[in-house]
């Protein structure tokens, strides 16, 4: 049981480049989330998808787009990377109702 | 908007001592309160949770208490060990339409347990 799988684990981008962070879960969860975590800071919600076919903005959506490809997969895209987007990105998923999230192991992104 | 405050931001204890982390939440509709442990270089992992119809829950050395009236909940770790050293996050659920929920996280507490 893999849980939540994120790829890649590490990435270095130049300013202005684009990339897509991939996330897949195998727990048949309805809801999926993208967070960023900056050094010494907590988890800030970028976007979430409560169910397949829906996406909504979180606290810090600027500079990002998301796609809920199917029930398993939720991708995060940076169209034009900026140094301020240097962070660790976590994907998470949860079942319907008030349940805890299962997090992936993160993608460490550096934009130079 | 919804908010979860967590204190302290850092906590240093001697091995064998107890550690307590406290959180307050703002949304009276919150009914689920998980706690996560994040070790260096890893994603947060759920360690214990409590629902609003329960006042206290215990799992070995870890316990969580909830005071709905005061909108407070706390994590208690007894007989701390060096492997308890990590960042701990509290969270409170916020209901969305369709039966879904969103978690609002506290800012985290960095716990250091010294041998």
């Amino acid at each position: 049981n893999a849980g939540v799988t994120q790829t890649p684990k590490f990435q270095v981008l130049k300013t202005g480049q684009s990339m897509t962070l991939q996330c897949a879960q195998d727990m048949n969860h309805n809801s999926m989330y993208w967070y960023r975590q900056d050094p010494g800071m907590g988890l800030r919600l970028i976007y979430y998808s409560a169910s397949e076919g829906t996406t909504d903005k979180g606290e810090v959506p600027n500079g990002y787009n998301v796609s809920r490809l199917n029930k398993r997969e939720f991708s995060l895209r940076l169209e034009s990377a900026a140094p301020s987007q240097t962070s660790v990105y976590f994907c998470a998923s949860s079942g319907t109702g008030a349940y805890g999230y299962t997090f992936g192991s993160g993608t460490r992104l550096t934009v130079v | 908007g919804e908010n979860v405050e967590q204190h302290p931001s850092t906590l240093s204890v001697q091995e064998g001592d107890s550690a307590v982390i406290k959180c307050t939440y703002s949304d009276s509709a919150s009914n689920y309160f998980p706690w996560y442990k994040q070790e260096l270089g890893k994603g947060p992992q759920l360690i214990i949770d409590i629902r609003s119809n329960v006042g206290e829950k215990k799992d070995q050395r870890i316990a969580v208490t909830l005071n709905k009236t005061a909108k407070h909940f706390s994590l208690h770790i007894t007989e701390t060990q060096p492997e308890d050293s990590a960042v701990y996050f509290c969270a409170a659920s916020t209901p969305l339409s369709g039966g879904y929920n969103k978690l609002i996280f506290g800012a985290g507490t960095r716990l250091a347990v010294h041998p």
Side-chain angles (χ1 to χ4, degrees), chain A residues 33-84:
Chain A
Y33 314 83
W34 276 106
Y35 285 87
R36 63 177 287 174
Q37 185 176 37
D38 300 316
M41 295 188 68
L43 298 157
R44 292 189 291 171
L45 182 63
I46 305 171
Y47 271 95
Y48 67 97
S49 171
S51 62
E52 187 179 356
T54 69
T55 60
D56 286 282
K57 295 178 180 179
E59 298 172 71
V60 289
N62 292 343
Y64 305 95
N65 283 301
V66 290
S67 295
R68 184 72 183 268
L69 305 170
N70 48 55
K71 191 172 186 178
R72 290 187 64 247
E73 299 173 288
F74 188 39
S75 63
L76 178 71
R77 182 161 179 83
L78 286 71
E79 290 291 352
S80 178
S84 60

Side-chain angles (χ1 to χ4, degrees), chain A residues 30-31 33 35 37 40-43 45 48 50-51 57-58 90 94-106 108, chain B residues 31-32 34 36 38 41-46 49 51 87 89 93 96-108 110:
Chain A
N30 285 311
S31 303
Y33 314 83
Y35 285 87
Q37 185 176 37
M41 295 188 68
L43 298 157
L45 182 63
Y48 67 97
S51 62
K57 295 178 180 179
F90 289 102
S94 69
T96 303
Y99 294 100
Y101 295 177
T102 300
F103 282 87
S105 57
R108 189 172 297 273
Chain B
N31 60 4
Y32 175 69
Y36 289 84
Q38 186 178 26
K42 297 184 179 181
Q45 280 201 304
L46 180 69
D49 56 16
R51 297 188 184 274
V87 178
F89 292 98
S93 67
L96 302 171
S97 60
Y100 302 105
N101 84 100
K102 184 174 66 172
L103 290 180
I104 307 299
F105 286 87
R110 186 174 299 276

Side-chain angles (χ1 to χ4, degrees), chain B residues 9-94:
Chain B
S9 57
T10 60
L11 181 58
S12 182
V13 300
Q14 291 296 124
E15 184 176 359
D17 287 350
S18 295
V20 180
I21 303 170
K22 298 182 179 182
C23 291
T24 60
Y25 61 98
S26 61
D27 188 351
S28 56
S30 296
N31 60 4
Y32 175 69
F33 307 90
W35 286 87
Y36 289 84
K37 176 182 181 182
Q38 186 178 26
E39 296 176 332
L40 197 61
K42 297 184 179 181
Q45 280 201 304
L46 180 69
I47 55 171
I48 194 168
D49 56 16
I50 191 168
R51 297 188 184 274
S52 58
N53 58 346
V54 176
E56 184 173 358
K57 183 176 179 180
K58 190 174 181 180
D59 182 4
Q60 298 182 7
R61 295 186 296 108
I62 295 173
V64 58
T65 58
L66 172 65
N67 182 331
K68 278 207 72 178
T69 304
K71 296 183 185 173
H72 290 171
F73 58 113
S74 300
L75 178 71
H76 304 252
I77 306 174
T78 58
E79 300 172 25
T80 53
Q81 300 167 5
E83 51 264 39
D84 294 329
S85 296
V87 178
Y88 291 81
F89 292 98
C90 64
S93 67
T94 292

